Amino acid sequence: WRLGYAPDEWRALLEALTAEGFKIEELLSAGLVKEADGKKGTYYDRFRNRLMFPIRDSAGRVVAFTGRTLETGEQKDGVQTAKYLNSPETELYHKSEILFGMNVAKDAIRVRKFTMLVEGQVDVILAHQAGFENAVALSGTALSEKHLSLMKRFSENLMLVLDSDNAGLTATAKSAQLALKTGLRVKAARLPAGKDPADVIGEDSKEFAKRITNAKPIVEFFLAELAERERDSHRLLRSAEAIVLPLIAAMPSPMEREHFIQSTARSLSLSGDAVRES
């Protein structure tokens, strides 16, 4: 994974690279240094005191970085340091086109016949260590059509393994809808409340494997999730209408749509016609 370290200094990288003959303009356009606010001509390293994750394109070339802070607590003046810092968009790096880990995962995706999408770089690395070498992640952006067409090169199947908090579920629903529209078949795996893949793998990789094995098609995943969260049957109906029906509507295949209309109707004790009409 070629992890690295950005020292806790303002100009360590700048000085090292200019000594090797790189120009300031090159370092700026690669997103490695910044110009100081209000101090024209004064430059400093973008990444300082961080664990560094190189982001590579699907051919394995380094095009950007994510840096995870090694600060603890607050910075001076009470300003919180951002936990993760990503390279800016550059000529080399378009985050809507690149998936972290795809250069390593693509062969395993072909073999396992599905792409596993997790939240962050640490999740990817731990998933690979636990034997799930088909895991990739986004880098500080929402799932895009370009990401999906990259995935489709290697498999028509996508498994979402995102955080189980409300924000994670909203992201799962949005990602799933877009993926279904592009013709991918989508499943989701359930994680314990408040845990991300790295937490689960760190505690018990067998438990993670079990949850992946038990992943459900995305419609059934949300029906089960909502049924557990909403005890009131009317609220459950409203939630299903808002979250589950757009997923069914996004499916290009009439047969798959019909299959999930019927399973949603059974789950909510409704007629298939009512679900279809909604």
Side-chain angles (χ1 to χ4, degrees), residues 100-119:
F100 179 79
M102 183 55 93
N103 60 302
V104 189
K106 56 191 179 186
D107 292 338
I109 291 169
R110 282 195 187 100
V111 171
R112 289 204 164 200
K113 297 187 169 48
F114 74 96
T115 306
M116 180 189 290
L117 184 69
V118 295
E119 199 112 338

Side-chain angles (χ1 to χ4, degrees), residues 18-241:
T18 48
E20 286 191 27
F22 289 97
K23 297 183 179 69
I24 293 284
E25 294 71 40
E26 291 172 316
L27 304 185
L28 278 170
S29 62
L32 295 171
V33 303
K34 293 175 81 168
E35 189 167 29
D37 289 341
K39 292 186 182 174
K40 203 159 172 52
T42 303
Y43 303 97
Y44 62 93
D45 295 353
R46 178 181 293 275
F47 298 100
R48 302 179 307 282
N49 196 26
R50 287 181 182 269
L51 173 66
M52 299 298 291
F53 298 86
I55 296 172
R56 294 185 267 178
D57 63 14
S58 50
R61 297 168 296 199
V62 176
V63 292
F65 296 91
T66 292
R68 189 191 192 285
T69 186
L70 297 169
E71 301 263 341
T72 48
E74 291 192 339
Q75 226 181 357
K76 59 179 185 191
D77 306 327
V79 178
Q80 192 74 34
T81 306
K83 187 175 178 183
Y84 286 97
L85 181 65
N86 292 310
S87 289
E89 294 259 322
T90 66
E91 283 180 49
L92 295 177
Y93 176 53
H94 304 288
K95 57 189 175 187
S96 64
E97 297 174 15
I98 292 203
L99 291 162
F100 179 79
M102 183 55 93
N103 60 302
V104 189
K106 56 191 179 186
D107 292 338
I109 291 169
R110 282 195 187 100
V111 171
R112 289 204 164 200
K113 297 187 169 48
F114 74 96
T115 306
M116 180 189 290
L117 184 69
V118 295
E119 199 112 338
Q121 281 98 343
V122 177
D123 293 326
V124 170
I125 293 169
L126 287 181
H128 280 246
Q129 279 181 202
F132 291 94
E133 292 172 357
N134 54 339
V136 298
L138 303 167
S139 293
T141 184
L143 188 66
S144 73
E145 286 181 14
K146 286 179 176 166
H147 290 137
L148 292 163
S149 67
L150 174 59
M151 289 179 193
K152 270 182 97 168
R153 276 192 228 162
F154 307 110
S155 170
E156 298 275 305
N157 300 304
L158 170 62
M159 185 183 294
L160 300 168
V161 193
L162 304 174
D163 293 5
S164 56
D165 56 14
N166 283 337
L169 285 176
T170 307
T172 300
K174 273 190 182 159
S175 299
Q177 205 175 328
L178 189 59
L180 290 166
K181 269 187 186 146
T182 61
L184 286 167
R185 284 184 289 276
V186 184
K187 284 186 167 185
R190 187 147 190 239
L191 297 178
K195 295 199 170 169
D196 59 24
D199 297 329
V200 182
I201 296 165
E203 287 164 21
D204 183 357
S205 60
K206 286 196 177 77
E207 174 63 20
F208 182 75
K210 193 167 93 184
R211 287 174 180 271
I212 298 304
T213 307
N214 294 336
K216 293 187 171 90
I218 194 69
V219 167
E220 290 168 21
F221 169 84
F222 271 111
L223 287 170
E225 199 69 39
L226 294 173
E228 195 164 298
R229 284 165 184 252
E230 300 287 7
R231 294 288 172 224
D232 177 82
S233 59
H234 182 241
R235 278 215 305 270
L236 171 60
L237 218 58
R238 297 294 296 270
S239 295
E241 197 161 29

